[in-house]
Amino acid sequence: MKASTLRTFQIVHTWTGLMAGFALFIAFYAGALTVFHDDIAAWQTPPWRSAPDAAVPVGGLIDKLVAEHPEARADFGIVLPPTQGQAPYAFWVSDGQSRFATAGELAQPRLEGNPNDLADFVYALHDSLGFPVVGLYFMGIVSVLYGLALVSGVILHLPQLVKDLFALRVGKNIKRLWQDAHNAIGVVSLPFHIIFAITGAVFCLFTVTMLALNVTAFNGKLFDAFAEATRTEPVVQASGVATTMLSYDELAARAQAVAKTRGAANFEPDYVHFTHYGDRNAVAMVRGLSDRALDTYGYIALNAGTGEPLMTSVGGNRDGNSIAYAAMYTLHFGNFGGRPVQWLYFLLGLAGAFLFYSGNLLWIESRRKRRHQDQPLKTRVMARATVGVCIGSCLAISGTFAATMIASSLDIDAQWPQRAACYGLFLAACAYACVRPVARATVELLIATGVLTLAVALADLLRNAGAWMRPWTPQTMAVLGVDLVGIVLAIAFFAFARASSRRAREGDTHSVWTSQARTGLP
């Protein structure tokens, strides 16, 4: 390949990586935690600290909803709690606005689903940096840049990668060590990164792409065709004849029985949608999860009065559209193989975050003036940004866990404490990295992140001390698992702080990471 072509790929790889790197670091670190979404939900509200209305059965919520809001009979859904400590809540549309409410909130329904849910907030950081709509589109563009960085990186480094794939040359040449680690992680996890880039772009830019294709290629018919292709329940008209509805428990049991006949033995309902509730033609669509299967989500539509199956999309009874969508979703989130695959995706998420962090370090090292104490402005700015954004986002997420725990202990809504802790700590870390010498800011922010992460884990272990003495359940294990992961992450942050401190003392004095001599830095 010509040298000019290689230079082009080098430029594409470098700048796409730099432009997307900060957002991707946050997406991968938060995404690694999101793999354990339900465990984090259990950590926030374990059965021994149940949320209000957690004891209200689904049937009781439905009865109260249709009694207090009869207009909801035409179309409403019930979101089932992922853990025993959380409450089911209803979703419907009234006066053109979406409404959400648990049984105790029906008199004054909310405009958001579950705004104080920690697991959902961490997921929002992963897919949109916590900014709905705008953040989602932004991350879609980032995913496209991510794909370009992957392709250009493979073309650029492939010849050398074959030779040095597993070489990790530890020595005085720090840049070569970071390059080896960057290349090895990038190549080993390349198939997964390709999956993440493609599915991330599809998920984030789906609406924009549909709008463009609807106008340019489908003559305004794409949305109707898409709705028909992805329909999970039949369209029926109300008969006008009232009839008694089966209870939710009966409908769920029938849906599970139908799913079993289609090959989905462990179909666990997580959402049920009703249309024309109370009418002879009422439909109940039960959505369920089946782990250890690539098609995680399944749908069973039943007549809500008789339980007769009307439409199924589960197990082996799926069409091509359903299989394609389910495959993209499960491959992106890794929820198709139980705990082993969850841990694999967790490690891949952390490795991906390291990949973007190390890419920035390589860029800084490549542009460092080796015999000059006063480094170029762009090198210093990138170093400060890398420290502030990358370590600051880790600190912010640990702060979000701390705020949630404190809000839970004070029995107050966690929504605003979560957001204030997350964005406040992130901005504070960025500001701190701007005013402190880079080497000191790196070590101090890593120590602060480790201390906060460890403090949250230990405090939660102590406040749940009574639960460890009771008979253990899967949710007990989930809560303990989140705390233990927090302790391991804290140890990792302390180890990084120690390594950074050693380099600041003993490394090259002509570096932005040193604390040995005056470098011209503030």
Side-chain angles (χ1 to χ4, degrees), residues 436-448:
R436 288 285 285 168
V438 177
R440 293 178 185 175
T442 303
V443 175
E444 290 160 358
L445 286 175
L446 281 169
I447 291 175

Side-chain angles (χ1 to χ4, degrees), residues 13-14 17-18 21-22 25 178-179 181-183 351-367 382 386 390:
H13 181 69
T14 299
L18 289 176
F22 290 127
F25 180 92
W178 280 107
Q179 184 75 63
H182 182 85
N183 291 346
F354 172 80
L355 199 64
F356 302 112
Y357 185 76
S358 60
N360 282 14
L361 296 187
L362 288 171
W363 187 91
I364 293 168
E365 286 298 307
S366 298
R367 285 150 184 81
M382 178 57 77
T386 299
C390 296

Side-chain angles (χ1 to χ4, degrees), residues 41-209:
W43 181 87
Q44 182 178 3
T45 51
W48 53 90
R49 289 198 309 273
S50 296
D53 296 328
V56 176
V58 175
L61 172 61
I62 294 173
D63 292 342
K64 194 171 181 183
L65 170 68
V66 297
E68 296 188 20
H69 300 275
E71 75 279 8
R73 286 175 174 271
D75 191 315
F76 69 91
I78 302 293
V79 179
L80 307 174
T83 68
Q84 295 177 8
Q86 294 184 315
Y89 65 88
F91 158 76
W92 73 103
V93 176
S94 180
D95 298 329
Q97 283 194 310
S98 299
R99 312 285 183 181
F100 303 84
T102 63
E105 299 170 336
L106 285 169
Q108 293 183 317
R110 294 174 273 113
L111 301 180
E112 295 182 65
N114 199 3
N116 70 347
D117 190 285
L118 174 63
D120 285 349
F121 182 65
V122 175
Y123 173 76
L125 293 175
H126 163 70
D127 82 335
S128 64
L129 305 180
F131 300 101
V133 185
V134 174
L136 196 67
Y137 294 152
F138 174 75
M139 290 305 293
I141 296 170
V142 165
S143 297
V144 174
L145 295 175
Y146 172 30
L148 288 174
L150 284 177
V151 172
S152 56
V154 169
I155 294 174
L156 185 65
H157 296 298
L158 187 59
Q160 193 65 26
L161 288 177
V162 175
K163 179 182 176 183
D164 297 334
L165 178 57
F166 294 110
L168 196 60
R169 292 162 286 191
V170 180
K172 292 185 177 180
N173 191 334
I174 300 298
K175 180 189 173 185
R176 189 172 61 187
L177 174 62
W178 280 107
Q179 184 75 63
D180 289 343
H182 182 85
N183 291 346
I185 291 175
V187 171
V188 170
S189 56
L190 181 61
F192 296 95
H193 283 283
I194 293 173
I195 291 171
F196 296 151
I198 294 174
T199 54
V202 170
F203 292 151
C204 294
L205 299 177
F206 184 78
T207 303
V208 175
T209 305

Side-chain angles (χ1 to χ4, degrees), residues 210-294:
M210 288 279 287
L211 283 169
L213 291 175
N214 186 51
V215 174
T216 59
F218 289 87
N219 197 26
K221 299 178 181 177
L222 179 58
F223 285 100
D224 289 340
F226 179 78
E228 183 61 32
T230 58
R231 191 179 302 285
T232 56
E233 56 189 290
V235 177
V236 298
Q237 299 297 321
S239 68
V241 179
T243 190
T244 303
M245 300 286 95
L246 292 177
S247 70
Y248 163 73
D249 291 339
E250 290 174 303
L251 289 168
R254 295 200 183 201
Q256 288 176 312
V258 173
K260 190 173 183 178
T261 64
R262 305 293 194 273
N266 56 348
F267 182 85
E268 289 297 329
D270 74 332
Y271 175 73
V272 57
H273 177 245
F274 290 94
T275 51
H276 309 308
Y277 189 83
D279 188 86
R280 188 174 62 187
N281 288 345
V283 175
M285 188 282 292
V286 182
R287 187 183 72 182
L289 289 160
S290 301
D291 62 1
R292 300 184 185 280
L294 190 58

Side-chain angles (χ1 to χ4, degrees), residues 333-346:
F333 291 100
N335 52 1
F336 55 86
R339 288 295 189 194
V341 175
Q342 281 185 308
W343 280 109
L344 173 63
Y345 270 62
F346 175 73

Side-chain angles (χ1 to χ4, degrees), residues 308-323:
E308 175 193 2
L310 302 175
M311 194 171 178
T312 62
S313 179
V314 65
N317 181 239
R318 291 176 176 272
D319 58 25
N321 295 312
S322 175
I323 291 173

